[in-house]
Amino acid sequence: MVALSQSSAAGVLALLFDPEPLLKQYALKSLNSLVPQFWAEISEHIALIESLYESEELPQDAHDQAALLASKVYYYLGEYDEALSFALGAGSAFEADSRTPGTEEYVETVVSKAIDRYIQSRTAEQAGEGKIDPRLQGIIEGIFRRCIEDGEFRQAIGIALESRRLDVIKHIYEQTHDTSLLSYAMEAVLDTAFPLAYRDQVLKFLFPLFPAPTSDAKSAHVYALTRILVTLNSPEMTITFLNSLVPAQKLLAYQFAFDLVEGGSQDFLEAIRKDLPEGSGESKPVYDQLRKILVGQESIKLYLEFLKRNNKVDMLILKNTKDALEPRSSIYHTALSLQNAFMHAGTTSDVFLRENLEWLALANNWSKFSAAAAIGVIHKGHFQESMNILGPYLPAQGADSSTGSTAYSEGGALYALGLVNAGCGSGQEVENYLRNLLKNSVSEVVQHGAALGLGVAGMGGKSAEAYDDLKQTLFTDSAVAGEAAGYAMGLIMLGTADGTSAEEMLTYARETQHEKIIRGLAIGLALIFYGRQEEADDMVKLLMAEKDPILRYGGVYTLALAYAGTSNNGAIRQLLHVAVSDTSDDVRRAAVTSLAFLLFKNPAQVPRIVQLLSESYNPHVRCGATLALGIACAGTGLQDAVDILEPMTRDSVDFVRQGALIALGMILVEQSEASSPSLASTRALYAKIVSDKHDDPMARFGAALGQGLIDAGGRNVTISLQSRAGSRNTSAIVGMVLFCQFWYWYPLAHCACLAFEPTGIIGLDENLKAPKFEFISNAKPSLFAYPASTKPPKKETVTKVATAVLSTTAKAKAREKRKAAAEGETVPEDKKDGDVEMKSGETTRNEDVSPISGSLSNLAEGTSTPKSRKSEPSSEKLSNFSRVTPAQLAYITFPAGSRYQPVRVVSTRPPPAATKAAKSPAAAALVAERSAGGGGILIMSDTHPGEETEYIEFETQAVPPAAGAPPAAQNPLSTAGRHIALDENAPEVDPPASFEYPFDHDT
């Protein structure tokens, strides 16, 4: 017999009016199962159900059933807060109902509302405002219990972080002893928008929970510890940690010091150096080494050596670009200067400049400034020799500042001096030198170069003296010098959120009439609030309400830099709103570009977010979308991003094409043809656009920059906005923000070199020397190979075509020969070389009668058949100081029997399966880039310390100037002494004498 389906709940509802409590209890229990079907009918009696919940006549069980029924009715009515309130009153009935089939959606919604309310209540309680409902506490405790029982530890940690229940995190770790869960908690609190004070509280809580690292264990959580120390920026905590490693784990202490240098600010490292103990006995040399490493100059020297040794620049690309671009055009001259600077960044190789002095002499005014600044990019990191390298172009000591054409090369050289000393100039002699020139110079061009150089060299140094000197330059109200002073003031006070400085800058920006100064100050303000999250909200609100679009432009960058790398939903929402609503095209473009600075830790999300913006009717929004993709997905080879950009290289607007071409260069940097199918076509596109004299100048400029970026740093650097430990790479983020200003001021494009991250494995022993050793890359060599060099065009030689001789002619000649032979005469031979006789009957209908047809049968005899292609090996051996791309790190292993072993893991990620890697190398690259762990400078443990060691000889050595030789700056035309390449040990024949780039001999 088939059970009849119920068509109404009226009968059961009638029982609620019955005076008998047992019938009411039965009705409540029955109605709970009928709510999904008859909630509309039951809702008419909600007041009665609520009165039964509050009634004292019914037993506790009936109370709970009434509360549960009311909760379900309110849930179906969409009143989720009321549903939660009654669910809390249901007690055990709610918990029992959560296991009933069919109630999953209701339970899930109520639980999520409970978690939200608990988080709000916990936040209020900690602020001293009210207490938590114990019933709510009971539900949350039950959720924690269930998560832990089911092994859903990450879910429990997420709720614990949101609700500020750090005791739960500790309980989970004590139960599991899984450090990856602590790392997950650290990443969650760092990469989402928690308030700064709470973020620091969580990090200080997590740090002691991690087990003490040892070089034997090669723990992956070494990266997490580094990231916590860099983020907290606490010298006391860092020194205590380093002291715990000395002297027992001295190699690991050296490793941490190198890792801290990579992510830490200059003032943070200086504070550690000052307060690090002197040590005694065995520990003294260890502390001395640590101080030496923490200066930061050791790392720069090693990367400089790496880039110089592995330089693989394709000079033919540069030559072709030079031949194609008209050198007398300022925009094209600047484009080639930038391309050469990017391709040779950090390699110290100025071969192209030496070989093209005539081209260099054509530089005019600001293109001369850019060309001089390019020398700083090429020699970036060569701080020991910076004064010798740039001496001939720097202003002469004691002389009055130059004016006219010389000022441009002098200003560019001062900017170059800052770029050479980027990241290590704060508090050094170079800072004082630039400050003196800034104060004493009368030329605004020289002041402009000195201010930019001072800002880049002293970035984040918080030097009050440098800031005051820049402020005095700003108050002269010179448009050219004031713009650079605005940028530099922000760079010096980077990330301080200093209210006085911000107020001074904003006030002056409102008063001045010069747009250039306002723009410099607007970006300077953004730099001051770098990484300050909610502390910058008031300034953002103030700037976004300004009438002046340049200040709103600064407000957009302030928001982006304050929340850099956090993927903050509120900030993203605000930027998207500005991108489609602001009245200024510049502000809209900046808003779209700024999305990259928020989302660079999740590059896979960016194409999805930017997709619609890339199809906007407004070309400025489209241009912003190109740069957003380029910066956020830089170095990943992400195919989704490339697919969006490729159609944009054919856009109808020239500056959109320019942005797309630059962005492709950033994304495809260090990709191989095996890992990225778009690489070859992109390179061909660059060459085509550059060589097309009828193409838009801006598109050709973008293609030249793209060529420079795709082969940046001698093909040995990637572009990355996060450090290897996963923390924000401050200099890279700042460099990219300044690079984006090339829209207004081309010389700022040089700052892109601050984001170039050398990608290699540099192994050092305990003496900080580089021994010779090998390691294995467990991937096919072609997957991470250097791109093939461009081949010069083949010269077409005119080959002599064989003359065809008709068979009838040949028969006639043969008859003459026989006749002459019979008469005893000789007939002169008139057959020329290459004649081919064509005999009758020799050819068939389908055969070619060309002269080469006869030689086809001899092809096998005359030429060897190509050998069958060998199968590619599945791994390769690499030596110390070899290039290893971020995606390749997961494949790197050190053989178990190898003498040298790293003290920390090379990569935090296991290698993907071989098949998977082959199918989607871009995805593998993306994973590696997202984790950002591994590679770089590795301290190696020597397993056979008694054996003799063979060390790598460094090519970049400081050579003292000859005794009695005058300083280069005072005697720029001296023919004796050092030459600018500083390559004294290279096997060159007759190295050229020192010379001065002929900037001032314009033709």
Side-chain angles (χ1 to χ4, degrees), residues 590-667:
V592 183
T593 303
S594 295
L595 288 168
F597 298 106
L598 291 168
L599 292 164
F600 64 80
K601 288 187 179 177
N602 300 293
Q605 288 184 12
V606 181
R608 184 172 50 83
I609 291 173
V610 172
Q611 173 79 54
L612 286 173
L613 294 170
S614 70
E615 297 166 10
S616 168
Y617 73 92
N618 187 321
H620 289 267
V621 173
R622 297 203 299 275
C623 180
T626 63
L627 286 175
L629 285 166
I631 294 167
C633 305
T636 62
L638 187 62
Q639 195 58 40
D640 289 348
V642 173
D643 291 342
I644 293 173
L645 288 168
E646 279 184 337
M648 298 179 83
T649 61
R650 301 184 291 277
D651 199 276
S652 57
V653 180
D654 53 359
F655 58 78
V656 178
R657 296 180 64 206
Q658 175 183 267
L661 293 164
I662 291 171
L664 279 171
M666 291 181 184
I667 291 171

Side-chain angles (χ1 to χ4, degrees), residues 21 25 75 107 187 255 350-351 358 379 387 488 566 580 601 694 750 875 886 941 973 978:
Q25 194 171 343
Y75 162 72
V107 171
E187 285 176 11
Q255 183 67 65
D350 54 8
V351 178
E358 298 82 4
H379 291 277
M387 297 302 283
T566 62
V580 295
K601 288 187 179 177
H694 303 292
H750 285 301
S875 65
S941 171
L973 298 175
R978 304 182 55 75

Side-chain angles (χ1 to χ4, degrees), residues 921-978:
L926 189 64
V927 168
E929 188 68 16
R930 172 69 183 87
S931 66
I937 298 169
L938 292 174
I939 299 295
M940 311 299 287
S941 171
D942 188 353
T943 55
H944 303 96
E947 294 180 13
E948 192 177 340
T949 308
E950 194 178 354
Y951 290 107
I952 293 172
E953 283 189 24
F954 281 14
E955 295 175 15
T956 313
Q957 296 287 358
V959 181
Q970 295 175 17
N971 193 6
L973 298 175
S974 169
T975 54
R978 304 182 55 75

